Amino acid sequence: VKVSDIGEFGLIQVLADIIGKNKNPKDATWQKLLIGIGDDAAVWENEASFQLATTDCIIQDIHFDINTSTWDEIGWKAIAVNLSDIAAMGGVPSYALVSLALPGEIEVGSVSSLYRGMMEISNQFGVAIAGGNVSSANTIMISITVLGILKNKDMLTRSGAKVGDKIAITGYTGLSAAGLQMLKHNLQFDVEASDIFKRAHLKPVPRINEGQTILQCGVKSAIDISDGLIADLSHICDSSNTGARINLDLLPIHPLIRTNFKEDFLQMALTGGEDYELLFTAPDYIIKNVKKALDCPVTTIGEIVDDLTQKVTLVDISGNIVPLSYAGWEHFKLTG
Amino acid sequence: VKVSDIGEFGLIQVLADIIGKNKNPKDATWQKLLIGIGDDAAVWENEASFQLATTDCIIQDIHFDINTSTWDEIGWKAIAVNLSDIAAMGGVPSYALVSLALPGEIEVGSVSSLYRGMMEISNQFGVAIAGGNVSSANTIMISITVLGILKNKDMLTRSGAKVGDKIAITGYTGLSAAGLQMLKHNLQFDVEASDIFKRAHLKPVPRINEGQTILQCGVKSAIDISDGLIADLSHICDSSNTGARINLDLLPIHPLIRTNFKEDFLQMALTGGEDYELLFTAPDYIIKNVKKALDCPVTTIGEIVDDLTQKVTLVDISGNIVPLSYAGWEHFKLTG
């Protein structure tokens, strides 16, 4: 059955049913939702708080490939990239709205799988899908808005970095780039490597709990690594009016990337993007506390400096500057 | 200068500047916005309330044509269609997030005009553009989420219609369809008609204040006419589990449509869609109060009935049933 066979209103009914059957009604977000899908707008009960809102869009053949991803992986990732932005503020995600555009010849079953993927990750993080809309289009576009809250005025921003702060990062960088290369060029690796690369690229897990813990530890400045380590660190430098120095030998590069991408592992770690790890800066003693508080790897990779001649400077183990010949992902052009 | 010349981050800076220069900083929404464009998520201070959220997407060649609309008209309408959903709940709009996808060869000046159009209507209704994202794509897609609030638990829903309610509508229906036909087929009319048709289609004014007044008058049930009068009234019937009877002779059809579209005016009024008027149902005495309270035309066009054999029944001045041979706009298929 194709989407064009059941039409817009038929599709909305199918999607509302999937959400209804898969939701966790015990989540506080669902309990506070008064009007979900099926009216002009969603309505929920809101306590006084600091509201977070972010929106991100993924588009066929630009952000995903239906030949190398399953539909539920696409749905997972569409929500994940937005949750990662909430994580980077130290927030608690609450509601999502999904704006879906697609050609009528797509199978209803595919769209159902897309929504099951969205529900899987939403349930994992207590997010309720409160509404959305569907529209016909020549290409598949999934635009999602996620709302969240901060309990008080403290938050993680891009502008909070101070000269002397250490720069740290959760997890590994470059794994998502490895997954993209593997899928795009049909590269063959052993099962363990394949699985890690693929999951990093197709089912990234946003650092929601880690973001909140980092904030509680007293960190003021963070960003998620969606554009690539250098590009995202540059955003912090821009907003904080600082420079940054990264020690290449400290980068948390997964051993499976080093061994399987001997030529490219450094570029992948620095510019690959889509890792959805958190990069944050703080005085050393706070970073030490973060390391104690978190279960995931946390690695200090450099420091914030007052040298503004180049936003991000790379140095090797001897302190020598390594020329920066590539930057990171930017829509409309690939710099470097 | 094309978007590809300045890249994603350059474009974001241009758009942030336009918003900064054009915003009304005295609006309460801007004053409560702590973090706008330029971080991972927007942050604003929220009082306890009932939160409204709606999202809608407009796509090149499906919802708009860059040959017959100016960029600022496209921007206006992209926000307007979302505000109309907030109006249909009786809410007060507050913040908007804009997810924009477009080809790199578009002129930066065009995107700037798009945002000036968004700012024009946002300022008119006290809405702050709090964030968004831009992405490259083969076609232009503008997905917008608008948030709003209800002061208390009272709201206008699709499910609030009761048998015996009168059905009323603000303004006129069919004017937007007239504008679409005029622009699509380059039809020639006198200046007054051209102007009214074109404005109705390209710069619809959402019934924000009217929605709030309708709610205050005690109305429980409303919808905005985006899909067409019959289709939207059918949504109310579906949600309220009722039927509806419309008297064709009572329809508020603008005299300029009657004279300029002698063959089609009835179909345009019933199924044209995109009028963004409010259709609502309530006991007769409440509708009388609404008519007194509103400055715009309010017309009673029929009543809610318990006959469910056909959702919407059309009758003529003598009470004879007129066969319903067409419905309204639905994505993926055009019914009727």
Side-chain angles (χ1 to χ4, degrees):
Chain A
V1 182
K2 295 180 191 304
V3 167
S4 55
D5 296 328
I6 64 170
E8 177 185 359
F9 306 133
L11 182 61
I12 291 172
Q13 192 54 56
V14 167
L15 301 179
D17 287 349
I18 289 171
I19 292 171
K21 276 179 200 154
N22 288 278
K23 74 180 182 185
N24 179 357
K26 287 180 184 165
D27 276 336
T29 47
W30 283 109
Q31 292 183 352
K32 288 181 184 170
L33 185 66
L34 303 176
I35 305 279
I37 289 173
D39 216 307
D40 292 283
V43 185
W44 62 83
E45 202 170 344
N46 225 359
E47 287 160 29
S49 66
F50 293 88
Q51 181 77 52
L52 291 167
T54 186
T55 187
D56 217 340
C57 179
I58 67 172
I59 299 171
Q60 182 179 12
D61 296 335
I62 292 178
H63 302 88
F64 64 89
D65 181 343
I66 56 172
N67 299 307
T68 57
S69 314
T70 64
W71 285 94
D72 61 289
E73 285 165 346
I74 297 168
W76 172 288
K77 189 164 174 178
I79 297 279
V81 302
N82 281 285
L83 293 186
S84 183
D85 283 323
I86 299 294
M89 305 298 288
V92 183
S94 52
Y95 294 95
L97 294 129
V98 180
S99 182
L100 179 65
L102 77 173
E105 65 258 35
I106 303 256
E107 292 289 322
V108 173
S110 302
V111 189
S112 299
S113 295
L114 181 81
Y115 269 68
R116 276 192 288 268
M118 291 187 200
M119 286 305 293
E120 187 190 356
I121 183 168
S122 295
N123 282 335
Q124 196 165 317
F125 292 101
V127 171
I129 297 181
N133 74 291
V134 297
S135 173
S136 51
N138 294 324
T139 190
I140 305 164
M141 188 212 62
I142 309 161
S143 183
I144 293 184
T145 299
V146 170
L147 301 161
I149 60 157
L150 290 164
K151 280 155 195 170
N152 58 51
K153 217 170 179 169
D154 289 333
M155 65 187 100
L156 303 170
T157 67
R158 297 182 180 185
S159 59
K162 300 261 184 278
V163 172
D165 276 2
K166 298 291 181 190
I167 301 164
I169 188 172
T170 60
Y172 299 98
T173 66
L175 283 172
S176 177
L180 177 61
Q181 291 303 316
M182 184 183 84
L183 293 168
K184 203 168 162 184
H185 303 297
N186 199 23
L187 307 179
Q188 303 296 319
F189 303 110
D190 66 37
V191 175
E192 187 197 0
S194 291
D195 187 57
I196 287 178
F197 297 163
K198 196 177 160 186
R199 285 186 70 83
H201 188 62
L202 298 179
K203 292 195 83 178
V205 180
R207 296 288 193 185
I208 291 291
N209 297 326
E210 292 83 354
Q212 291 164 35
T213 301
I214 288 168
L215 177 61
Q216 282 155 15
C217 287
V219 175
K220 303 289 181 203
S221 165
I223 192 168
D224 73 324
I225 302 193
S226 51
D227 295 327
L229 196 158
I230 292 177
D232 289 311
L233 181 53
S234 297
H235 294 322
I236 285 194
C237 291
D238 279 335
S239 297
S240 299
N241 200 29
T242 65
R245 185 178 295 126
I246 296 295
N247 187 327
L248 293 181
D249 297 292
L250 298 179
L251 289 177
I253 299 174
H254 198 283
L256 287 171
I257 309 185
R258 284 188 197 270
T259 52
N260 286 297
F261 293 91
K262 289 193 176 71
E263 306 279 310
D264 300 325
F265 70 86
L266 197 57
Q267 180 163 359
M268 287 159 70
L270 289 170
T271 70
E274 296 205 289
D275 284 313
Y276 302 107
E277 296 294 346
L278 296 179
L279 182 150
F280 56 101
T281 85
D284 200 28
Y285 76 95
I286 289 181
I287 298 217
K288 285 193 174 112
N289 288 337
V290 170
K291 286 177 182 174
K292 278 180 220 155
L294 290 184
D295 292 329
C296 72
V298 175
T299 312
T300 302
I301 60 170
E303 61 188 341
I304 296 294
V305 297
D306 60 4
D307 178 4
L308 300 176
T309 50
Q310 190 179 13
K311 276 176 260 182
V312 178
T313 306
L314 305 177
V315 297
D316 65 15
I317 200 163
S318 317
N320 298 318
I321 288 176
V322 180
L324 175 62
S325 60
Y326 34 76
W329 174 257
E330 180 174 6
H331 276 286
F332 308 111
K333 62 178 177 186
L334 193 57
T335 52
Chain B
V1 183
K2 295 181 191 305
V3 167
S4 55
D5 296 328
I6 64 171
E8 177 185 358
F9 306 132
L11 182 61
I12 290 171
Q13 192 54 57
V14 167
L15 302 179
D17 288 347
I18 289 171
I19 292 171
K21 277 178 199 153
N22 288 278
K23 74 180 182 184
N24 179 358
K26 289 182 184 165
D27 275 336
T29 46
W30 283 109
Q31 293 183 352
K32 288 182 185 171
L33 185 66
L34 303 177
I35 305 278
I37 290 173
D39 216 306
D40 292 283
V43 186
W44 62 83
E45 201 171 344
N46 224 359
E47 287 161 30
S49 66
F50 293 87
Q51 181 78 52
L52 291 167
T54 185
T55 187
D56 217 339
C57 180
I58 67 171
I59 300 172
Q60 183 178 13
D61 296 336
I62 293 177
H63 302 89
F64 64 88
D65 180 343
I66 56 171
N67 300 307
T68 56
S69 313
T70 64
W71 285 93
D72 62 286
E73 285 165 346
I74 296 168
W76 172 288
K77 189 163 173 178
I79 296 280
V81 302
N82 281 283
L83 293 186
S84 182
D85 283 323
I86 299 294
M89 304 299 287
V92 182
S94 52
Y95 295 96
L97 295 128
V98 180
S99 183
L100 179 64
L102 77 173
E105 64 258 35
I106 303 251
E107 293 288 322
V108 173
S110 301
V111 189
S112 298
S113 296
L114 181 80
Y115 269 68
R116 274 192 288 269
M118 290 186 201
M119 286 305 292
E120 186 190 356
I121 184 169
S122 295
N123 282 335
Q124 196 165 318
F125 292 101
V127 171
I129 297 181
N133 75 292
V134 297
S135 173
S136 51
N138 294 325
T139 189
I140 306 163
M141 288 175 288
I142 310 162
S143 183
I144 293 184
T145 299
V146 170
L147 301 162
I149 60 156
L150 290 165
K151 280 156 194 168
N152 58 52
K153 218 170 177 168
D154 289 334
M155 65 186 97
L156 303 169
T157 66
R158 296 183 181 184
S159 58
K162 300 262 185 278
V163 172
D165 276 2
K166 297 292 180 187
I167 301 165
I169 188 172
T170 60
Y172 299 98
T173 66
L175 284 172
S176 177
L180 176 62
Q181 292 303 316
M182 184 183 84
L183 293 167
K184 203 168 163 184
H185 304 296
N186 197 24
L187 306 179
Q188 302 297 320
F189 303 111
D190 65 40
V191 175
E192 187 197 0
S194 291
D195 186 59
I196 288 179
F197 297 163
K198 195 177 162 189
R199 287 187 68 84
H201 188 61
L202 298 180
K203 292 196 81 178
V205 180
R207 295 289 192 185
I208 291 291
N209 297 326
E210 292 83 353
Q212 291 164 35
T213 301
I214 288 168
L215 177 61
Q216 282 156 15
C217 287
V219 175
K220 303 290 180 200
S221 164
I223 191 167
D224 73 324
I225 301 192
S226 51
D227 295 327
L229 196 158
I230 291 176
D232 288 311
L233 181 54
S234 296
H235 294 324
I236 285 194
C237 291
D238 279 336
S239 296
S240 300
N241 201 28
T242 64
R245 184 179 296 125
I246 296 296
N247 187 326
L248 293 180
D249 297 292
L250 298 179
L251 289 176
I253 299 174
H254 198 285
L256 287 171
I257 310 185
R258 283 189 195 269
T259 52
N260 286 296
F261 292 90
K262 290 194 176 70
E263 305 280 309
D264 301 325
F265 70 85
L266 197 57
Q267 180 162 359
M268 288 160 69
L270 289 170
T271 70
E274 296 204 288
D275 284 314
Y276 302 106
E277 296 294 346
L278 296 180
L279 183 151
F280 56 101
T281 85
D284 200 28
Y285 76 95
I286 289 181
I287 296 209
K288 285 194 173 110
N289 289 335
V290 170
K291 287 177 182 175
K292 277 180 219 154
L294 290 183
D295 292 329
C296 72
V298 176
T299 312
T300 302
I301 60 170
E303 61 187 342
I304 296 293
V305 298
D306 61 2
D307 178 4
L308 301 175
T309 50
Q310 188 180 14
K311 276 177 260 182
V312 179
T313 305
L314 306 177
V315 298
D316 65 16
I317 199 163
S318 317
N320 298 318
I321 290 176
V322 180
L324 175 62
S325 60
Y326 35 76
W329 174 257
E330 180 174 6
H331 276 287
F332 308 111
K333 61 179 180 184
L334 193 58
T335 52

